[in-house]
Structure formats: structure tokens, C-alpha cells
Amino acid sequence: ERRTFLHERRVTADDWINELETHSPIAMLDRAVRERLLHGLARGATAATGGALRIRHETPCVVATRR
């Protein structure tokens, strides 16, 4: 059986940027590149949302029953 769990959370643009810094593809970037990227994302996210982001998550799950 397959199930999908949906949930949503709200974060500030600053909290989202702080979380992004922990993601490996971003953390592995050269420091100057990473800072430019995160600064641009923060500016864009704040301009587009007023600083409050809604993040939707979808978590798939496969359930098996032992017989």
C-alpha cells in the first residue's frame, strides 16, 4: 500500500535561508558564490512574499503487512 502524507509549514525568509545553508549542494559552493546565491534568494523571497514563506512537503510512504 502506498500513502502520501502532506503537510505545510510557514517560515520567515531568514529562517528559510538559514535552513538552505545546511543543504549539501549549497554548503559545498565556494563561500563567495554561496553568499551571493543566498543573498539573492533572500531578496527575492522577501519581495515575493513579504518575508513569510509557506513550504509544502509531500512525504511518500510504502506500507507492507507481514503475512
Side-chain angles (χ1 to χ4, degrees), residues 3-8 55-61:
R3 298 180 188 173
T4 300
F5 297 93
L6 305 174
H7 67 282
E8 182 177 292
I55 300 174
R56 294 179 184 156
H57 295 275
E58 185 174 308
T59 306
C61 177

Side-chain angles (χ1 to χ4, degrees), residues 23-34:
H23 294 206
S24 294
I26 292 174
M28 291 174 18
L29 293 171
D30 176 73
R31 185 175 138 212
V33 172
R34 183 175 59 246

Side-chain angles (χ1 to χ4, degrees), residues 13 17 36-49:
I17 294 300
R36 272 196 320 272
L37 172 65
L38 294 174
H39 181 71
L41 288 171
R43 244 190 358 250
T46 300
T49 67

